[in-house]
Amino acid sequence: MKTLILISHPKFEDSGTQQFLKTSFYSLDDVKYQVIDELYSSSESGQIDVDKEQAAMTDFDRIVFQFPMYWYSSPASLKQFMDDVFTRNYVVANRSLKTKELGIVVTLGDSEADFQAGGKEQFTISELLRPFQAFANKSGMTYLKPFVVNQFGYKDPTEKEQLLVAYLQYLSAEMPLSLENREQWLVARLQATKEGKADDQVQAIDLVINSLEDQQATVESLKQDVKMIRDQEE
Amino acid sequence: MKTLILISHPKFEDSGTQQFLKTSFYSLDDVKYQVIDELYSSSESGQIDVDKEQAAMTDFDRIVFQFPMYWYSSPASLKQFMDDVFTRNYVVANRSLKTKELGIVVTLGDSEADFQAGGKEQFTISELLRPFQAFANKSGMTYLKPFVVNQFGYKDPTEKEQLLVAYLQYLSAEMPLSLENREQWLVARLQATKEGKADDQVQAIDLVINSLEDQQATVESLKQDVKMIRDQEE
């Protein structure tokens, strides 16, 4: 599965959060990214090559819009990109995005807890992202549950590590993020790290993989038991 | 009351709807407009003078964002303007927009009837405009009921005339648009048209004004009657 991250951020290089996330997805071969602001600023005319951008999207199974929330939406560059590249012909007539998934990675400066009825911001993140959900609906894409990065600056190192794993899974694991899909993802990642390692390291990694697979077998068997008990109760 | 219309449209001069609306508000002295796209394209650097734009807003009591719906939001230029001009300092620290009203005039290419749960677009216009409502909430502005122009191209001349009157009221009448506020608005407009007219024309206009005021008095008295009856019933 291949993922394209479209990043909208007027100061991508200066953003600690964005740079932290960037170091992580470098390790994934099937994940590519594009900073939309750089795409526009590197063009002399301020126009981008729409045909090229449309063609570039063909290869990917998952498109992820990644941006800081500015006035309850993405920064203007993502909107410009959508208005330019996602022509009616491309999206509606040719259904070119159909069968792809649409993910959203949104970073918040304010606390996520403020985003609810009665809270300071009054509306939930889900409500504020409706325009993107409506776009997924129109284009036939599968809308993934948005990945919210809540006040990154206040997180301690352990929280940041957990965030990173969850983020990598959001980019490259099969959806939905069930326990099974997350374990399969972890095993695949571990298999990949074996390459070029010394024998004793490979053995250690295999031990972890076996242990994970054993656990997964146990979970499977427990699930069967629970199902049997439930069936008998009905 | 003074109104500023901020228009976001990449092809303002070519848009029949926008040009139609423009001819109408020319007649209102207290309504000014600004095409955001022209503001940016007329600047050599592509940057706008933020201080000047912030200062320009001071005079106005009602700010209206006017745009065609592109991918369930405004075109990118309005977002760029918001990100540039509505700095956190201006909006949140100094509360510079507090006490102003925020109106939205949105034109739709698709049928408004598609915008509902179970409809083709799945979400209502109200839901899709949440980011603007959240902005009004944050800035202390009063959010006005959006003015939706539904498939302008399919309207007949009578419908277009009605649209125009409703639009002019949205721009310059006191809110909410009750019968009383709309009649007061009409009388004020008629009084203004008397200037420079011949005596017989002035008499004719006065007749209409008197008739409107009589009607208003009748409505007032009927309302009193209804209230009395209701009070007795309780």
Side-chain angles (χ1 to χ4, degrees), chain A residues 142-155:
Chain A
T142 302
Y143 187 67
L144 305 180
K145 191 171 89 171
F147 186 86
V148 179
V149 181
N150 185 10
Q151 296 185 300
F152 180 80
Y154 298 148
K155 290 191 191 302

Side-chain angles (χ1 to χ4, degrees), chain B residues 222-234:
Chain B
L222 282 168
K223 269 192 192 163
Q224 286 299 326
D225 292 351
V226 169
K227 191 176 178 304
M228 256 177 53
I229 295 168
R230 281 216 177 118
D231 287 352
Q232 285 169 352
E233 274 176 351
E234 270 164 12

Side-chain angles (χ1 to χ4, degrees), chain A residues 126-188:
Chain A
S126 285
E127 282 173 286
L128 296 172
L129 297 177
R130 284 281 188 266
F132 297 104
Q133 190 179 357
F135 175 75
N137 169 57
K138 187 75 161 193
S139 61
M141 299 175 90
T142 302
Y143 187 67
L144 305 180
K145 191 171 89 171
F147 186 86
V148 179
V149 181
N150 185 10
Q151 296 185 300
F152 180 80
Y154 298 148
K155 290 191 191 302
D156 65 33
T158 314
E159 288 172 327
K160 285 186 185 174
E161 259 174 45
Q162 287 167 343
L163 171 75
L164 216 55
V165 174
Y167 175 67
L168 289 176
Q169 288 175 341
Y170 190 79
L171 295 180
S172 60
E174 290 292 315
M175 294 285 175
L177 284 175
S178 59
L179 182 63
E180 200 182 329
N181 282 343
R182 279 183 288 148
E183 281 197 354
Q184 273 176 8
W185 175 85
L186 194 53
V187 168

Side-chain angles (χ1 to χ4, degrees), chain A residues 70-72 74 76 79-80 82-83 86 88 110 120-123 127 130-131 133 135 137-138, chain B residues 70-72 74 76 79-80 82-83 86 110 120-123 127 130-131 133 135 137-138:
Chain A
Y70 279 15
W71 289 135
Y72 311 103
S74 73
K79 193 66 207 331
Q80 190 67 59
M82 291 176 75
D83 291 350
F86 298 148
R88 240 184 132 73
D110 295 313
K120 212 167 63 179
E121 305 291 355
Q122 292 292 347
F123 304 109
E127 282 173 286
R130 284 281 188 266
Q133 190 179 357
F135 175 75
N137 169 57
K138 187 75 161 193
Chain B
Y70 279 16
W71 291 134
Y72 311 103
S74 73
K79 192 67 206 333
Q80 191 65 59
M82 291 177 75
D83 291 350
F86 299 147
D110 296 313
K120 212 167 64 179
E121 306 291 355
Q122 291 292 347
F123 305 108
E127 283 173 285
R130 285 279 189 266
Q133 190 179 358
F135 174 75
N137 171 56
K138 187 75 159 195

Side-chain angles (χ1 to χ4, degrees), chain B residues 4 16 54 80 171:
Chain B
L4 174 65
Q54 289 181 344
Q80 191 65 59
L171 295 180

